[in-house]
Short mmCIF file of all heavy atoms in Angstrom, two decimals:
data_model
loop_
_atom_site.label_atom_id
_atom_site.label_comp_id
_atom_site.label_asym_id
_atom_site.label_seq_id
_atom_site.Cartn_x
_atom_site.Cartn_y
_atom_site.Cartn_z
N ARG S 23 -6.04 5.92 1.12
CA ARG S 23 -6.05 6.13 2.56
C ARG S 23 -6.87 7.33 2.98
O ARG S 23 -6.95 7.65 4.15
CB ARG S 23 -4.63 6.27 3.09
CG ARG S 23 -3.85 4.98 2.93
CD ARG S 23 -2.40 5.20 3.18
NE ARG S 23 -1.86 5.92 2.03
CZ ARG S 23 -0.71 6.54 2.00
NH1 ARG S 23 0.04 6.55 3.07
NH2 ARG S 23 -0.29 7.15 0.93
N LEU S 25 -6.24 10.48 2.79
CA LEU S 25 -5.45 11.48 3.49
C LEU S 25 -5.54 12.85 2.82
O LEU S 25 -5.21 13.85 3.43
CB LEU S 25 -3.97 11.06 3.53
CG LEU S 25 -3.64 9.78 4.28
CD1 LEU S 25 -2.17 9.45 4.12
CD2 LEU S 25 -4.01 9.90 5.73
N GLY S 26 -5.93 12.88 1.57
CA GLY S 26 -5.95 14.12 0.83
C GLY S 26 -4.66 14.29 0.03
O GLY S 26 -3.62 13.72 0.37
N GLU S 27 -4.74 15.07 -1.00
CA GLU S 27 -3.60 15.20 -1.92
C GLU S 27 -2.40 15.91 -1.29
O GLU S 27 -1.26 15.54 -1.55
CB GLU S 27 -4.03 15.93 -3.19
CG GLU S 27 -4.99 15.10 -4.04
CD GLU S 27 -4.42 13.75 -4.42
OE1 GLU S 27 -3.23 13.65 -4.79
OE2 GLU S 27 -5.17 12.76 -4.35
N VAL S 28 -2.61 16.92 -0.48
CA VAL S 28 -1.50 17.65 0.13
C VAL S 28 -0.73 16.74 1.09
O VAL S 28 0.49 16.66 1.05
CB VAL S 28 -1.99 18.93 0.85
CG1 VAL S 28 -0.85 19.58 1.62
CG2 VAL S 28 -2.58 19.90 -0.16
N THR S 29 -1.45 16.04 1.94
CA THR S 29 -0.81 15.13 2.88
C THR S 29 -0.09 14.01 2.13
O THR S 29 1.02 13.63 2.49
CB THR S 29 -1.84 14.54 3.87
OG1 THR S 29 -2.50 15.62 4.51
CG2 THR S 29 -1.18 13.66 4.89
N LYS S 30 -0.71 13.50 1.09
CA LYS S 30 -0.09 12.45 0.28
C LYS S 30 1.23 12.95 -0.30
O LYS S 30 2.25 12.25 -0.27
CB LYS S 30 -1.05 12.05 -0.84
CG LYS S 30 -0.54 10.96 -1.74
CD LYS S 30 -1.59 10.64 -2.78
CE LYS S 30 -1.12 9.62 -3.76
NZ LYS S 30 -2.12 9.32 -4.79
N PHE S 31 1.25 14.17 -0.80
CA PHE S 31 2.46 14.76 -1.35
C PHE S 31 3.54 14.88 -0.27
O PHE S 31 4.70 14.56 -0.50
CB PHE S 31 2.13 16.14 -1.94
CG PHE S 31 3.29 16.84 -2.55
CD1 PHE S 31 3.78 16.45 -3.79
CD2 PHE S 31 3.89 17.90 -1.90
CE1 PHE S 31 4.86 17.10 -4.36
CE2 PHE S 31 4.97 18.56 -2.46
CZ PHE S 31 5.45 18.16 -3.69
N LEU S 32 3.16 15.33 0.93
CA LEU S 32 4.11 15.45 2.03
C LEU S 32 4.68 14.09 2.43
O LEU S 32 5.87 13.96 2.72
CB LEU S 32 3.43 16.11 3.24
CG LEU S 32 3.05 17.58 3.08
CD1 LEU S 32 2.21 18.03 4.26
CD2 LEU S 32 4.27 18.44 2.92
N VAL S 33 3.83 13.07 2.45
CA VAL S 33 4.27 11.72 2.80
C VAL S 33 5.27 11.21 1.77
O VAL S 33 6.34 10.69 2.12
CB VAL S 33 3.08 10.75 2.92
CG1 VAL S 33 3.55 9.31 2.99
CG2 VAL S 33 2.23 11.09 4.13
N TYR S 34 4.96 11.36 0.48
CA TYR S 34 5.87 10.87 -0.56
C TYR S 34 7.20 11.60 -0.53
O TYR S 34 8.25 10.99 -0.71
CB TYR S 34 5.23 11.00 -1.94
CG TYR S 34 4.19 9.94 -2.21
CD1 TYR S 34 3.02 10.24 -2.88
CD2 TYR S 34 4.37 8.63 -1.80
CE1 TYR S 34 2.06 9.28 -3.12
CE2 TYR S 34 3.42 7.65 -2.03
CZ TYR S 34 2.27 7.98 -2.69
OH TYR S 34 1.34 7.02 -2.93
N ASN S 35 7.19 12.90 -0.27
CA ASN S 35 8.45 13.64 -0.17
C ASN S 35 9.26 13.20 1.04
O ASN S 35 10.49 13.06 0.96
CB ASN S 35 8.19 15.15 -0.11
CG ASN S 35 7.99 15.73 -1.47
OD1 ASN S 35 8.50 15.21 -2.45
ND2 ASN S 35 7.24 16.80 -1.56
N ALA S 36 8.61 12.97 2.17
CA ALA S 36 9.30 12.51 3.37
C ALA S 36 9.91 11.13 3.14
O ALA S 36 11.04 10.86 3.56
CB ALA S 36 8.35 12.47 4.56
N ARG S 37 9.18 10.26 2.46
CA ARG S 37 9.69 8.92 2.17
C ARG S 37 10.90 8.98 1.26
O ARG S 37 11.88 8.25 1.45
CB ARG S 37 8.60 8.05 1.57
CG ARG S 37 7.56 7.63 2.58
CD ARG S 37 6.35 6.97 1.99
NE ARG S 37 6.64 6.03 0.95
CZ ARG S 37 5.77 5.64 0.02
NH1 ARG S 37 4.55 6.13 0.04
NH2 ARG S 37 6.10 4.78 -0.88
N LYS S 38 10.85 9.86 0.28
CA LYS S 38 11.95 9.98 -0.68
C LYS S 38 13.21 10.53 0.00
O LYS S 38 14.32 10.14 -0.35
CB LYS S 38 11.52 10.90 -1.82
CG LYS S 38 12.52 11.04 -2.92
CD LYS S 38 11.96 11.77 -4.12
CE LYS S 38 11.52 13.16 -3.74
NZ LYS S 38 11.12 13.97 -4.91
N GLN S 40 14.05 10.35 3.31
CA GLN S 40 14.51 9.67 4.53
C GLN S 40 15.84 8.95 4.27
O GLN S 40 16.15 8.63 3.12
CB GLN S 40 13.45 8.69 5.03
CG GLN S 40 13.24 7.48 4.17
CD GLN S 40 12.08 6.64 4.62
OE1 GLN S 40 11.50 6.86 5.66
NE2 GLN S 40 11.72 5.66 3.83
N THR S 48 9.78 0.82 5.59
CA THR S 48 9.46 2.00 6.40
C THR S 48 8.23 2.74 5.89
O THR S 48 7.93 3.83 6.35
CB THR S 48 10.65 2.97 6.43
OG1 THR S 48 10.96 3.36 5.09
CG2 THR S 48 11.86 2.34 7.09
N TYR S 49 7.52 2.14 4.96
CA TYR S 49 6.36 2.80 4.32
C TYR S 49 5.31 3.25 5.35
O TYR S 49 4.94 4.41 5.39
CB TYR S 49 5.73 1.83 3.32
CG TYR S 49 4.44 2.30 2.73
CD1 TYR S 49 4.43 3.21 1.69
CD2 TYR S 49 3.22 1.85 3.20
CE1 TYR S 49 3.25 3.66 1.13
CE2 TYR S 49 2.03 2.28 2.66
CZ TYR S 49 2.05 3.19 1.62
OH TYR S 49 0.88 3.63 1.08
N PHE S 50 4.85 2.35 6.18
CA PHE S 50 3.77 2.67 7.12
C PHE S 50 4.25 3.60 8.23
O PHE S 50 3.53 4.47 8.67
CB PHE S 50 3.16 1.40 7.70
CG PHE S 50 2.44 0.59 6.67
CD1 PHE S 50 2.95 -0.61 6.22
CD2 PHE S 50 1.25 1.04 6.13
CE1 PHE S 50 2.28 -1.35 5.25
CE2 PHE S 50 0.57 0.30 5.17
CZ PHE S 50 1.10 -0.89 4.73
N GLU S 51 5.49 3.39 8.67
CA GLU S 51 6.05 4.25 9.71
C GLU S 51 6.13 5.70 9.25
O GLU S 51 5.75 6.62 9.96
CB GLU S 51 7.44 3.74 10.09
CG GLU S 51 8.15 4.58 11.12
CD GLU S 51 9.57 4.10 11.36
OE1 GLU S 51 9.87 2.93 11.06
OE2 GLU S 51 10.37 4.90 11.84
N ARG S 52 6.61 5.92 8.04
CA ARG S 52 6.74 7.29 7.51
C ARG S 52 5.37 7.91 7.28
O ARG S 52 5.15 9.08 7.58
CB ARG S 52 7.54 7.26 6.19
CG ARG S 52 7.90 8.61 5.66
CD ARG S 52 8.76 9.44 6.60
NE ARG S 52 9.89 8.68 7.07
CZ ARG S 52 10.34 8.71 8.35
NH1 ARG S 52 9.78 9.49 9.24
NH2 ARG S 52 11.35 7.98 8.71
N THR S 53 4.42 7.14 6.80
CA THR S 53 3.07 7.66 6.58
C THR S 53 2.45 8.09 7.90
O THR S 53 1.87 9.16 8.01
CB THR S 53 2.18 6.59 5.92
OG1 THR S 53 2.75 6.25 4.67
CG2 THR S 53 0.77 7.10 5.70
N GLU S 54 2.60 7.27 8.93
CA GLU S 54 2.04 7.60 10.24
C GLU S 54 2.72 8.83 10.83
O GLU S 54 2.08 9.67 11.45
CB GLU S 54 2.18 6.41 11.19
CG GLU S 54 1.51 6.63 12.52
CD GLU S 54 1.59 5.41 13.41
OE1 GLU S 54 1.98 4.33 12.94
OE2 GLU S 54 1.26 5.54 14.60
N CYS S 55 4.03 8.94 10.61
CA CYS S 55 4.80 10.08 11.12
C CYS S 55 4.29 11.40 10.54
O CYS S 55 4.12 12.38 11.26
CB CYS S 55 6.26 9.89 10.73
SG CYS S 55 7.41 10.31 11.98
N VAL S 56 4.04 11.43 9.24
CA VAL S 56 3.62 12.66 8.57
C VAL S 56 2.12 12.90 8.72
O VAL S 56 1.68 14.00 9.06
CB VAL S 56 4.00 12.63 7.07
CG1 VAL S 56 3.42 13.81 6.33
CG2 VAL S 56 5.50 12.58 6.91
N ALA S 57 1.33 11.88 8.46
CA ALA S 57 -0.13 12.04 8.44
C ALA S 57 -0.75 12.00 9.83
O ALA S 57 -1.85 12.50 10.04
CB ALA S 57 -0.76 10.97 7.57
N GLY S 58 -0.07 11.35 10.78
CA GLY S 58 -0.59 11.28 12.14
C GLY S 58 -1.64 10.20 12.35
O GLY S 58 -2.25 10.14 13.41
N VAL S 59 -1.84 9.34 11.35
CA VAL S 59 -2.81 8.25 11.48
C VAL S 59 -2.21 6.97 10.94
O VAL S 59 -1.38 6.99 10.04
CB VAL S 59 -4.13 8.55 10.71
CG1 VAL S 59 -4.86 9.71 11.33
CG2 VAL S 59 -3.86 8.80 9.24
N GLN S 60 -2.64 5.86 11.50
CA GLN S 60 -2.20 4.57 10.99
C GLN S 60 -3.02 4.20 9.76
O GLN S 60 -4.15 4.65 9.59
CB GLN S 60 -2.38 3.49 12.05
CG GLN S 60 -1.42 3.61 13.20
CD GLN S 60 -1.57 2.46 14.17
OE1 GLN S 60 -2.61 1.82 14.25
NE2 GLN S 60 -0.53 2.19 14.92
#
Side-chain angles (χ1 to χ4, degrees):
R23 294 168 287 164
L25 297 175
E27 292 304 317
V28 173
T29 304
K30 180 179 177 181
F31 181 76
L32 292 172
V33 168
Y34 284 140
N35 278 333
R37 287 170 42 202
K38 184 171 61 173
Q40 69 187 352
T48 59
Y49 173 80
F50 294 109
E51 178 185 339
R52 188 60 49 221
T53 300
E54 186 176 349
C55 221
V56 173
V59 294
Q60 289 184 336

